[in-house]
C-alpha cells in the first residue's frame, strides 16, 4: 500500500531529510510540503517528486494526504494538530520542546486519529531507552544515574526530548516518579547528590546531530550506555516507517517502540 504524505517544514533540516529519504521508499508518496508563510523556497519545487511545490496552505496539504510528518516548532505543531483533528488526519510528530498547550492539542488529535509521537525516531535510541530501564531496574538507585546529551548549536530546547525520554525510563526502572527525582543541570551550591536523583545535562556546540549517554555510577565501577547519530536520515527513515505503519490504525497516541515492535 502507498501512503500519501504531507511534510511540514520542507525548508528545515529534518524536513529536507524526510524529503530526501522518501524518494527511495516505494510505500511513500509525497503529495504536499507545507511551510510557514515567510519560509525560504515557497512556490519552488521540493525534492525529486515531480510537481511537488512548497506551499503555505496547511488546509490543502492536510486534505491531500493520509498522514502528515511534522518536524517544525512547538507553535506550528500545535496549529497543525488543531487543523488535523478536524479532519481526523493521521500524524507523525517529531517536534521537541512542546509545552503543555501543545501536548493538549496532540491529545485532542489522538482522540480522532492515530498519531505517532517520538522525541527520537532512531532504532538505536529507542533500544537505548529499553536498555536504560533494564539497567536502572537491575542496579537500583544506589547507582547514581545521569544522562548527558550533546547537540548542534542551533538546537533551541534543552535538555533534549530524547534525554528526557531516557531519564524517564531510568525513573521507571527505579520505580520512582520522575518529577520528584529529576535534576536538570547544576549550578551553585547544590549540596551532595541525593540518593535516587536522576541528573540530565545538555551540551551545545558545532554541528553535532545528537549524542546521548546514560551513566550509572556505582562504587568503584561505572556503566555507560551511549548512542551517537551521524546522520539526520536515521530520524527521517524512522518517521517514514512510522507514517506507513500508522495509517489505518485506530485513533490513539502511539510510541516509536510500538512501531519498531520493541514493546
Ligand atoms: P529547523 O529549524 O531546521 O526547521 C524547522 C522547520 O519548521 C523550518 O522549515 C520552518 O520553516 C518550519 N516551520 C516553522 N513554523 C512553521 C509553520 N507554522 N508551518 C510550517 N512549517 C513551519 O529545525 P530542525 O533541526 O529540522 O528540527 C525541527 C524539530 O524537530 C525540532 O523540534 C527538533 O528538536 C526536532 N527533531 C526531532 C527529531 C526526532 O527524531 N524526533 C530529530 C531531529 C530533530
Amino acid at each position: 500500500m502507498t501512503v500519501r504524505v504531507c511534510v511540514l517544514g520542507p525548508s528545515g533540516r529534518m524536513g529536507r531529510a524526510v524529503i530526501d529519504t522518501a524518494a527511495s521508499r516505494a510505500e511513500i508518496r509525497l503529495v504536499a510540503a507545507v511551510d510557514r508563510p515567510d519560509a525560504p523556497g515557497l512556490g519552488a519545487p521540493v525534492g525529486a517528486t515531480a510537481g511537488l511545490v512548497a506551499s503555505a496552505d496547511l488546509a490543502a496539504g492536510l486534505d491531500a494526504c493520509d498522514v502528515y510528518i511534522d518536524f517544525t516548532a512547538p507553535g506550528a505543531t500545535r496549529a497543525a494538530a488543531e487543523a488535523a483533528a478536524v479532519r481526523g488526519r493521521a500524524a507523525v510528530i517529531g517536534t521537541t520542546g512542546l509545552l503543555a498547550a501543545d501536548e493538549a492539542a496532540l491529545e485532542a488529535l489522538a482522540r480522532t486519529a492515530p498519531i505517532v509521537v517520538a522525541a527520537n525516531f532512531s532504532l538505536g535510541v529507542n533500544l537505548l531507552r529499553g536498555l536504560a530501564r533494564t539497567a536502572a531496574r537491575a542496579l537500583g538507585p544506589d547507582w547514581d544515574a545521569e544522562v548527558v546529551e550533546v547537540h548542534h548549536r542551533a538546537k533551541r530546547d534543552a535538555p533534549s526530548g530524547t534525554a528526557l525520554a531516557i531519564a524517564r525510563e531510568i525513573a521507571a526502572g527505579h520505580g520512582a516518579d520522575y518529577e520528584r527525582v529529576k535534576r536538570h543541570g547544576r549550578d551553585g551550591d547544590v549540596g551532595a547528590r541525593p540518593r535516587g536523583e536522576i541528573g540530565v545535562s545538555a551540551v551545545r556546540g558545532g554541528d553535532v546531530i545528537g549524542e546521548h549517554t546514560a551513566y550509572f555510577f556505582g562504587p568503584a565501577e561505572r556503566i555507560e550506555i551511549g548512542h551517537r547519530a551521524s546522520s539526520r536520515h536515521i530520524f527521517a527513515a524512522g518517521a517514514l516507517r512510522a507514517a506507513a505503519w500508522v495509517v489505518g490504525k485506530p485513533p490513539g497516541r502511539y510510541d516509536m517502540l510500538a512501531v519498531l515492535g520493541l514493546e
Side-chain angles (χ1 to χ4, degrees), residues 214-238:
Y215 293 89
F216 297 89
F217 298 89
E221 57 181 332
R222 89 174 175 223
I223 294 173
E224 299 177 15
I225 311 172
H227 178 269
R228 312 275 178 267
S230 50
S231 166
R232 282 188 180 80
H233 288 87
I234 59 172
F235 311 126

Side-chain angles (χ1 to χ4, degrees), residues 149-222:
E149 55 101 336
V150 188
H151 281 88
H152 55 91
R153 61 157 69 104
K155 184 166 178 62
R156 299 178 69 105
D157 53 313
S160 72
T162 302
L164 296 177
I166 295 167
R168 288 200 173 93
E169 296 291 353
I170 294 170
H174 285 171
D177 173 359
Y178 181 64
E179 294 306 317
R180 298 173 72 98
V181 297
K182 71 181 182 185
R183 164 79 72 168
H184 292 182
R186 293 186 179 85
D187 184 29
D189 182 3
V190 296
R193 189 186 197 288
R195 178 180 182 274
E197 183 170 270
I198 299 173
V200 183
S201 308
V203 179
R204 292 286 173 271
D207 58 0
V208 178
I209 288 172
E211 301 185 358
H212 294 87
T213 308
Y215 293 89
F216 297 89
F217 298 89
E221 57 181 332
R222 89 174 175 223

Side-chain angles (χ1 to χ4, degrees), residues 7-16 34-40 55-56 58 70-77 79-80 93-98 117-122 151-152 154-157 160-162 209 232 234-236 239:
V7 179
L8 304 190
S11 67
R13 282 172 288 254
M14 277 308 302
R16 289 196 303 271
V34 178
D35 223 320
R36 62 193 153 82
D38 57 344
S55 135
L58 177 64
D70 181 348
F71 289 92
T72 58
T77 293
I93 313 284
T95 308
T96 62
L98 299 177
V117 186
N120 195 305
F121 279 92
S122 96
H151 281 88
H152 55 91
K155 184 166 178 62
R156 299 178 69 105
D157 53 313
S160 72
T162 302
I209 288 172
R232 282 188 180 80
I234 59 172
F235 311 126

